[in-house]
Amino acid sequence: MQNSLRPADMMTGSAPVGPGGPGAPEDEDSIDLGVLLRMLWAGKWIILGATLFFSALAYFYASQQTPMYRANATVIFDLQERNVANIEEVVAARDYDRGADLQNQIEVLRSTALIERVIEKLNLSQNAEFNPAQATPEPGWFDWLTLPPEIEATLQSMGLIAADPPPPDPALQERRLRLAMIERVQEGLQLTPVRNSTVIRIGFVSENPRTAERIANAIADQYIIEQLEGKLDATRSATQWLSDRVLELQDRVTSAEAAVADAEAQLAQDAGQTLEITQAQLTELNTTLGTTRAREIELTAQVARLRQALEDGVDVGAVPEFRQTVLIQTYREEESDLLSQRAALRANVGENHPSVLRVNTQLAETRRRIDEEAQRVVDSIVVERDAASDQATELARRVRELEELALSQSASGITLRQLEREAQAARLLYENFLGRLQETSQQESLQSADARVISPAEVPNFPMTAGKRRTLAIGGILGLMMGVGIVFLLNRLNNTFRSPGQLEDELHLPVLASIPIVPNTGNKRRKILEHFREKPGSSLAEAIRGLRTSILFSNVDHPPKVVMMTSSTPREGKSTTAALLALTSQQMGRSTILIDCDLRLPAVSTLLDIDLEKPGLLAAINEPHAIEEAVSVEPDSGLHVLLMRPRDSRLTQNAADILASQKFRALIEYLRTRYDLIVLDTPPTLVVSDARIVANSADGVVFSVKWDSTPRGASAEAIKQLRGIGAPVVGAVMTMVDESKAAKYSYDGYGYGYYGGQYKDYYVD
């Protein structure tokens, strides 16, 4: 039933884990904030440790840094155009973009040429902060060691120590030193444009506050100077360029005007018929040509129509061209008369009468003449069409001649007009450049910088502290993020079972019980059993009693009498749980026997104080009459035990064959008649096949899983093998649960059933 309690829930008192229950896993796509917070709280010490570790690293790093000072100078860049001489139109025409121009000025402030001039002006080459050659080298680990020249040469020849490098080229060394100083100045330079303005803040960071102030002001001053020098150089270059250009344009104007004069003279010499007359003749001929071609097309269509009429045998009287011909009209009248005569003769004489035959002959001759005359009409129209075609061809030839003449006359006029336009353009350009040259000549005395210093740098009184605080903040944030990441990673990498819900969802088995770990026992089997006997009201005893109850209620109508305990791998508390289950059943007045079916590594003999001289399991299997002698009795509880003696296990090479034998099955069937409950302790399922063999003789199989230890894949594979043989697996038991830690893992989305640890008053631990 969907709403029924699981055995584990009855034993522990937890809420049901089922569809719609509070312990049900949530949708994978949803994020439970409570789950995340509980998981982070469970890993709080990891997060705290990572945060403290990275904060300590950040503090150590910040404490080792040299105090730095920053000085700021502010300049404003004027983007307004000066129209005194409009020199920008001479040098380059551009549209102003405030953001782009400010970025350009920032790049100028960082330029190598400007920084080189600042280094030279302030003599920074003598400052160890910027010149590596002036810095005192720190002693190395082996600088104190001085080897004799002979030993040093020998070690160098053997390759044990490196030979002294050759002295560098002085020019190359000077260049590298210059680049190093420029890079150090650029590293300390901080250029920041002020938003919504044309202001640039020039900051410089240095170990010396006075040096920071001097370099910031020197960069601002040098920037102003370079602007003035750049504008003066541009003006001088523009003046020189304009002078050369004016001379070139003067020669071009002279040449263009001479070309115009020569073209006019040549045109006057070659002039014959005017272009206007030629164009009038061309227009008239084009009109005539169009009319002629239209007539040709009309006649061609007429010929085609008449020929088609003749071919189709159309009555000539239905064609206007034939009907209007005099001869055809005459022949048609004769045809009409002959038709009348033939009709009259047919009325009086027979069809073959000579008079009728004579009239038919005359009628055929008349019709032949009509056809011949119609053909002559068509031929006359064809002659007229051919004449129109010849006339159109001649007119087209004449039109082409006139067009060529018109094009020649037009080309001469176009060339002349082109030469006139070129001469006019050259003259205007010459006058324009001549005026610009005069303006530019006056520009040098009117130059001013586009930028000015509005706030010079001052010597800073205090070092920069924001960097240290930022480092500490970054270290703390990084540590916090790393701690959270480690917690998520560890949770993601965990491949064990930490809650009954996980176990049920993974193995699709009900959890019959959760056996808590016993404190101060070190997981020693004997100490656990001693604790169980001495404190029958402990949480361990209650859990074992809950396990027994869950097994009995796994099949209410037919409670299992033969219960097999197994696990996927060794050391999962299987044998201890089997012994505790048998002891609990015996204490409740039900006859119980515990059988150690692990013929290879028997464990029951190490748990209970039992006489090992008894024959044991092998004797009971091989000699059915010796069962009573083979069964041992635990003195304190009276529990019957059929164990495997350790010395017998060393002689057993065919454990699987023994357990699969008919004798073993007969033994189990005999014990069913003697005891209320038979507990079988078998080897791990994945290690040997013994457990799968014994499962065929059991009424119920209880699968043991060690809390936060057994891999999920191993448990799933073991259950798969048991189900593959049809084993009656009734459920799983989670062993060695550390309830103090289990409460921390309640964020897994399944809820947690270990409420017993929260109500200690009910137990006597």
Side-chain angles (χ1 to χ4, degrees):
M1 296 179 63
Q2 202 172 36
N3 295 327
S4 62
L5 292 177
R6 300 176 311 198
D9 299 326
M10 292 187 295
M11 184 275 297
T12 58
S14 62
V17 183
E26 296 186 0
D27 188 2
E28 294 181 356
D29 295 333
S30 64
I31 298 177
D32 191 337
L33 183 59
V35 168
L36 293 178
L37 292 178
R38 288 192 296 272
M39 180 174 62
L40 294 178
W41 178 251
K44 58 183 178 296
W45 297 115
I46 296 177
I47 298 174
L48 180 61
T51 303
L52 293 177
F53 176 74
F54 279 92
S55 298
L57 287 181
Y59 178 79
F60 177 76
Y61 173 79
S63 63
Q64 298 301 313
Q65 299 301 309
T66 304
M68 304 299 289
Y69 296 84
R70 181 173 60 193
N72 294 317
T74 308
V75 297
I76 185 171
F77 181 63
D78 187 7
L79 297 178
Q80 299 298 323
E81 298 185 70
R82 300 181 183 274
N83 296 319
V84 176
N86 209 8
I87 187 63
E88 290 81 359
E89 297 180 8
V90 178
V91 180
R94 61 175 180 140
D95 295 330
Y96 279 94
D97 185 343
R98 183 185 301 274
D101 279 338
L102 280 177
Q103 188 61 39
N104 292 339
Q105 300 309 312
I106 290 176
E107 295 301 323
V108 171
L109 286 165
R110 295 185 62 88
S111 64
T112 303
L114 187 146
I115 292 178
E116 277 187 322
R117 297 178 69 169
V118 171
I119 292 174
E120 182 179 355
K121 177 181 178 181
L122 299 180
N123 196 21
L124 296 181
S125 59
Q126 302 301 319
N127 192 328
E129 183 180 353
F130 303 97
N131 188 353
Q134 298 293 329
T136 303
E138 297 183 1
W141 290 99
F142 299 101
D143 290 346
W144 57 270
L145 181 61
T146 303
L147 298 176
E150 297 80 5
I151 298 177
E152 186 174 358
T154 302
L155 294 177
Q156 289 178 358
S157 63
M158 296 173 62
L160 298 178
I161 61 174
D164 295 334
D169 181 36
L172 180 60
Q173 188 176 8
E174 179 65 25
R175 179 173 174 273
R176 290 178 177 174
L177 185 61
R178 179 178 61 84
L179 291 177
M181 289 190 293
I182 292 174
E183 290 177 358
R184 293 200 177 186
V185 174
Q186 288 178 336
E187 290 174 359
L189 183 61
Q190 298 177 351
L191 302 173
T192 308
V194 179
R195 292 186 59 184
N196 301 324
S197 70
T198 60
V199 175
I200 301 175
R201 182 176 293 109
I202 303 173
F204 194 83
V205 179
S206 173
E207 301 174 2
N208 191 313
R210 177 60 181 163
T211 301
E213 177 264 339
R214 290 175 62 224
I215 294 179
N217 285 328
I219 290 175
D221 296 339
Q222 195 60 44
Y223 170 65
I224 303 298
I225 294 172
E226 284 207 352
Q227 273 208 337
L228 286 173
E229 291 181 351
K231 297 188 73 173
L232 288 174
D233 291 341
T235 303
R236 294 191 186 99
S237 299
T239 302
Q240 182 61 41
W241 180 80
L242 286 172
S243 299
D244 298 338
R245 189 63 176 157
V246 165
L247 294 177
E248 294 177 4
L249 291 175
Q250 186 177 5
D251 295 339
R252 184 184 296 180
V253 170
T254 302
S255 300
E257 290 177 347
V260 170
D262 294 341
E264 289 177 348
Q266 185 66 33
L267 186 60
Q269 181 180 354
D270 298 338
Q273 178 177 298
T274 63
L275 178 61
E276 288 76 9
I277 294 175
T278 302
Q279 291 177 343
Q281 292 177 350
L282 184 60
T283 302
E284 184 178 356
L285 284 177
N286 279 327
T287 302
T288 305
L289 177 61
T291 303
T292 303
R293 285 182 173 171
R295 179 59 180 165
E296 178 186 2
I297 294 171
E298 179 183 358
L299 292 174
T300 300
Q302 189 177 11
V303 168
R305 180 169 52 80
L306 294 178
R307 285 177 175 174
Q308 186 65 37
L310 291 177
E311 292 176 0
D312 296 341
V314 178
D315 185 14
V316 294
V319 181
E321 289 83 352
F322 298 152
R323 188 174 60 247
Q324 295 174 1
T325 305
V326 176
L327 287 177
I328 291 178
Q329 292 178 357
T330 302
Y331 292 150
R332 284 178 57 80
E333 291 175 358
E334 292 179 2
E335 180 185 18
S336 178
D337 293 340
L338 290 173
L339 290 173
S340 299
Q341 292 177 15
R342 189 178 65 176
L345 289 174
R346 285 178 177 177
N348 298 319
V349 297
E351 182 69 28
N352 296 323
H353 192 271
S355 299
V356 175
L357 295 176
R358 185 175 58 252
V359 171
N360 287 337
T361 302
Q362 293 175 353
L363 183 61
E365 179 65 20
T366 300
R367 287 177 176 174
R368 184 185 63 78
R369 291 176 181 176
I370 290 174
D371 293 338
E372 290 179 352
E373 185 62 27
Q375 184 63 43
R376 280 194 292 272
V377 171
V378 173
D379 293 340
S380 65
I381 296 175
V382 170
V383 172
E384 185 179 358
R385 182 199 64 185
D386 293 342
S389 177
D390 295 340
Q391 183 182 2
T393 303
E394 180 62 23
L395 287 173
R397 185 189 63 79
R398 181 58 180 163
V399 166
R400 286 194 299 272
E401 291 178 354
L402 288 177
E403 286 178 346
E404 292 175 358
L405 179 60
L407 288 174
S408 176
Q409 292 176 338
S410 298
S412 299
I414 290 173
T415 302
L416 177 60
R417 288 191 293 274
Q418 180 66 25
L419 291 174
E420 290 176 348
R421 286 193 294 269
E422 290 180 357
Q424 180 66 20
R427 190 179 302 108
L428 291 175
L429 189 60
Y430 169 72
E431 293 174 356
N432 187 22
F433 271 79
L434 185 61
R436 294 296 177 86
L437 176 60
Q438 295 175 356
E439 293 176 355
T440 307
S441 300
Q442 302 297 324
Q443 183 71 20
E444 296 184 17
S445 59
L446 299 175
Q447 291 297 332
S448 62
D450 289 337
R452 56 189 175 88
V453 178
I454 59 176
S455 178
E458 301 290 343
V459 178
N461 296 324
F462 304 100
M464 300 168 56
T465 56
K468 182 177 292 186
R469 290 196 299 268
R470 187 184 304 111
T471 301
L472 293 176
I474 292 175
I477 294 173
L478 181 61
L480 180 62
M481 294 174 61
M482 288 294 295
V484 172
I486 291 173
V487 170
F488 275 98
L489 180 63
L490 293 177
N491 182 72
R492 192 68 176 177
L493 294 177
N494 182 269
N495 192 33
T496 63
F497 297 101
R498 289 179 171 176
S499 71
Q502 287 181 332
L503 186 57
E504 288 190 349
D505 287 351
E506 187 73 22
L507 303 183
H508 304 289
L509 286 176
V511 178
L512 303 177
S514 296
I515 310 301
I517 193 172
V518 180
N520 303 321
T521 60
N523 282 338
K524 301 298 182 180
R525 296 173 178 177
R526 284 185 172 273
K527 290 185 177 181
I528 294 175
L529 262 67
E530 291 175 3
H531 178 84
F532 175 78
R533 288 192 178 99
E534 294 173 357
K535 297 182 178 180
S538 64
S539 57
L540 173 63
E542 290 294 336
I544 297 299
R545 284 191 285 270
L547 172 61
R548 177 185 175 279
T549 303
S550 298
I551 293 173
L552 293 178
F553 279 92
S554 63
N555 190 343
V556 178
D557 296 330
H558 301 284
K561 294 191 66 176
V562 181
V563 178
M564 186 187 88
M565 301 293 296
T566 187
S567 62
S568 57
T569 58
R571 290 179 292 276
E572 295 192 42
K574 161 183 59 63
S575 299
T576 305
T577 304
L580 292 175
L581 176 62
L583 287 172
T584 300
S585 179
Q586 184 68 29
Q587 290 173 356
M588 297 180 70
R590 297 177 62 86
S591 59
T592 306
I593 184 171
L594 173 63
I595 303 177
D596 190 354
C597 296
D598 193 344
L599 307 186
R600 308 167 195 265
L601 294 174
V604 175
S605 60
T606 63
L607 283 169
L608 304 173
D609 294 328
I610 297 177
D611 183 10
L612 298 180
E613 297 302 324
K614 287 280 188 176
L617 178 61
L618 290 181
I621 294 176
N622 296 323
E623 301 176 7
H625 60 277
I627 293 178
E628 299 295 338
E629 297 179 0
V631 174
S632 301
V633 179
E634 205 269 336
D636 294 335
S637 62
L639 173 67
H640 288 197
V641 180
L642 191 56
L643 53 83
M644 181 68 185
R645 295 183 300 181
R647 61 175 178 270
D648 293 340
S649 64
R650 291 193 294 269
L651 302 176
T652 303
Q653 301 297 331
N654 56 345
D657 295 338
I658 294 175
L659 296 175
S661 65
Q662 186 62 35
K663 292 181 179 181
F664 178 77
R665 295 194 186 95
L667 173 64
I668 298 299
E669 292 302 322
Y670 172 75
L671 295 177
R672 283 178 181 271
T673 63
R674 296 286 305 276
Y675 297 95
D676 296 329
L677 179 64
I678 303 171
V679 180
L680 307 178
D681 179 28
T682 61
T685 303
L686 296 181
V687 178
V688 291
S689 61
D690 299 5
R692 284 173 286 170
I693 295 173
V694 176
N696 293 325
S697 301
D699 298 332
V701 177
V702 178
F703 189 77
S704 297
V705 176
K706 184 178 179 181
W707 178 83
D708 199 22
S709 177
T710 305
R712 299 182 188 179
S715 300
E717 180 62 23
I719 292 298
K720 179 180 178 182
Q721 292 184 10
L722 291 173
R723 285 173 173 161
I725 63 170
V729 183
V730 298
V733 57
M734 185 170 285
T735 63
M736 290 182 270
V737 178
D738 189 341
E739 293 185 338
S740 61
K741 293 182 179 179
K744 300 178 181 179
Y745 300 133
S746 60
Y747 55 79
D748 57 4
Y750 295 93
Y752 205 76
Y754 305 118
Y755 297 117
Q758 302 178 15
Y759 305 101
K760 298 293 185 179
D761 295 341
Y762 282 89
Y763 307 124
V764 182
D765 286 326

